[in-house]
C-alpha cells in the first residue's frame, strides 16, 4: 500500500542521483530481501545530503528492513524533528509506528495517528489496516471505547459486518 516516490525535501532530485550513484536503488533492496551489500558508501550520501528528506527516509527504511531498529528510528525521527508534522508523509509515520509497537505502545499509537492525519490532509482513504493498528494499540493500552470505535471503522473499511449487543451481524 505505502509506495514512495514523492519528493518532499529540498534538493530531492540531487539526493536521488546521489543515492543511485552510491548503489542504493530501492529495487535492489526489495529483490534481495533488504540484505544487500552497498557499492559505495551510504554514509557519504548522507553526509552530502544530511537534511534531505528522501535520503533520510530511504536510509531509515533500509535500516528497518535490515532489522537495525535503532538506526531506523534515528533516521526517521530526524525527519519528524526537521519537518513540520504536515510535511511528513504517512509512510514515515507508519514506519515509525511499526518500529515503536514492541517498545512503546503510546509512541506507536501517536505515530499511527499522525499517519492517519497525513492521509486525511491529502484527502486519501485511510486503509483498514492502519485503523486496525490504531484500534489494537488502544485495546492494548486499555482504552476499550476508543478501540471499539477504530475496530468498527476498520470493519467498515474492510466491508465486513460487526456483531451487535445480541451477537447478530449488522452493517457497520
Amino acid at each position: 500500500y505505502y509506495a514512495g516516490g514523492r519528493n518532499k525535501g529540498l534538493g530531492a532530485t540531487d539526493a536521488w542521483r546521489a543515492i543511485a550513484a552510491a548503489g542504493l536503488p530501492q529495487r535492489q533492496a526489495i529483490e534481495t530481501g533488504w540484505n544487500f551489500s552497498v557499492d559505495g558508501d551510504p554514509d557519504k550520501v548522507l553526509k552530502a545530503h544530511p537534511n534531505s528528506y528522501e535520503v533520510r527516509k530511504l536510509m531509515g527504511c533500509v535500516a528497518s528492513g535490515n532489522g537495525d531498529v535503532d538506526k531506523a528510528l534515528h533516521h526517521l525521527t530526524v525527519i519528524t524533528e526537521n519537518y513540520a508534522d504536515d510535511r511528513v508523509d504517512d509512510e514515515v509515520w507508519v514506519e515509525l509506528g511499526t518500529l515503536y509497537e514492541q517498545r512503546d505502545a503510546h509512541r506507536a499509537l501517536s505515530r499511527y495517528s499522525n499517519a492517519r492525519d497525513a492521509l486525511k490532509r491529502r484527502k486519501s482513504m485511510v486503509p483498514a489496516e492502519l485503523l486496525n493498528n490504531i484500534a489494537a494499540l488502544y485495546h492494548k493500552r486499555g482504552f476499550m471505547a476508543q478501540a471499539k470505535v477504530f475496530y468498527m471503522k476498520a470493519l467498515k473499511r474492510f466491508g465486513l459486518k460487526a456483531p451487535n449487543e445480541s451477537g447478530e451481524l449488522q452493517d457497520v
Side-chain angles (χ1 to χ4, degrees):
Y1 166 74
Y2 295 101
R6 292 187 296 276
N7 293 326
K8 299 276 186 182
L10 298 175
T13 302
D14 291 337
W16 279 114
R17 284 189 192 121
I19 290 168
L24 286 174
Q26 287 179 312
R27 172 60 57 212
Q28 182 184 11
I30 292 166
E31 287 175 359
T32 61
W34 295 98
N35 294 316
F36 61 95
S37 63
V38 176
D39 293 333
D41 186 354
D43 291 324
K44 286 182 184 176
V45 177
L46 191 57
K47 188 174 183 178
H49 302 280
N51 298 318
S52 170
Y53 184 103
E54 295 294 342
V55 169
R56 288 279 182 187
K57 182 176 171 182
L58 182 61
M59 297 290 283
C61 290
V62 168
S64 177
N66 283 331
D68 192 343
V69 173
D70 292 330
K71 192 173 198 176
L73 285 171
H74 169 73
H75 287 299
L76 297 172
T77 299
V78 167
I79 292 172
T80 65
E81 290 172 349
N82 290 330
Y83 290 85
D85 284 357
D86 65 338
R87 298 239 4 247
V88 177
D89 67 63
D90 54 291
E91 296 165 345
V92 170
W93 292 121
V94 167
E95 190 67 31
L96 280 167
T98 302
L99 292 167
Y100 275 120
E101 271 194 50
Q102 299 304 313
R103 291 181 174 199
D104 185 339
H106 176 74
R107 280 189 179 176
L109 179 58
S110 173
R111 297 334 182 252
Y112 284 144
S113 294
N114 288 346
R116 180 176 171 253
D117 293 344
L119 288 163
K120 288 171 80 175
R121 273 192 301 278
R122 285 198 337 250
K123 297 184 181 358
S124 296
M125 184 181 76
V126 178
E129 296 85 358
L130 180 56
L131 295 169
N132 190 64
N133 288 355
I134 293 170
L137 286 168
Y138 273 128
H139 190 144
K140 181 177 182 177
R141 296 187 63 224
F143 298 105
M144 298 310 174
Q146 292 95 328
K148 182 177 180 181
V149 168
F150 282 95
Y151 280 134
M152 296 300 270
K153 287 180 181 189
L155 285 170
K156 184 176 183 179
R157 189 61 44 85
F158 276 123
L160 301 173
K161 296 181 182 233
N164 61 21
E165 298 296 322
S166 64
E168 297 173 9
L169 291 180
Q170 63 182 14
D171 288 327
V172 183

